[in-house]
Amino acid sequence: QVQLVESGGGLVQAGGSLRVSCAASGLTFSQYAMGWFRQAPGKEREFVAVISRSGRTQNYADSVKGRFTISRDNAVNTVYLQMNSLKPEDTAIYYCAAGGSSSYYVVPGKAQSDYNDWGQGTQVTVSS
């Protein structure tokens, strides 16, 4: 079975930085694009970032562009989200997701349906 486990969430002051990680097992990690989503209280789950199988291509939501960086280390089956210049509006549960089989050919988009497997999430809280 596929398992995605997020870690690294916590409480940080506005303007600070945090790196969340997602460790994957049960799949050939390098064969799948990986994405990050987040969900704030009272809001729908929203796309944050995605990275291609090789790591060469990275796409971001406009709300985080220039502040967040997605990366991956295929040697240790882990995808990361480096979050800088954090704002209170970034407060959410952050979820890791593995792309569907088509992500072997095409980088997934922002739709949740582009992804097959999800982690349980890690809480990120940004205080002012």
Side-chain angles (χ1 to χ4, degrees):
Q1 72 281 17
V2 175
Q3 186 171 199
L4 306 176
V5 180
E6 300 94 338
S7 63
L11 176 65
V12 62
Q13 291 185 333
S17 297
L18 205 62
R19 186 178 75 164
V20 292
S21 302
C22 172
S25 61
L27 78 171
T28 304
F29 183 71
S30 63
Q31 301 300 307
Y32 294 88
M34 299 295 297
W36 285 98
F37 287 72
R38 67 186 183 185
Q39 187 167 23
K43 294 187 176 181
E44 298 293 314
R45 189 174 300 190
E46 66 175 354
F47 169 81
V48 175
V50 63
I51 189 166
S52 62
R53 296 195 297 114
S54 68
R56 183 178 182 274
T57 300
Q58 305 148 48
N59 296 322
Y60 300 91
D62 288 342
S63 58
V64 307
K65 198 169 298 179
R67 299 188 298 122
F68 290 11
T69 302
I70 188 171
S71 62
R72 67 191 296 160
D73 187 345
N74 288 347
V76 294
N77 291 356
T78 302
V79 63
Y80 307 93
L81 186 68
Q82 177 68 46
M83 301 180 287
N84 298 328
S85 301
L86 282 162
K87 306 174 180 179
E89 309 92 86
D90 296 318
T91 295
I93 301 174
Y94 283 73
Y95 297 92
C96 172
S101 58
S102 63
S103 74
Y104 182 88
Y105 304 100
V106 184
V107 179
K110 65 183 182 65
Q112 294 180 52
S113 59
D114 289 350
Y115 304 83
N116 274 2
D117 295 285
W118 298 80
Q120 292 299 304
T122 186
Q123 176 72 48
V124 173
T125 303
V126 184
S127 66
S128 60

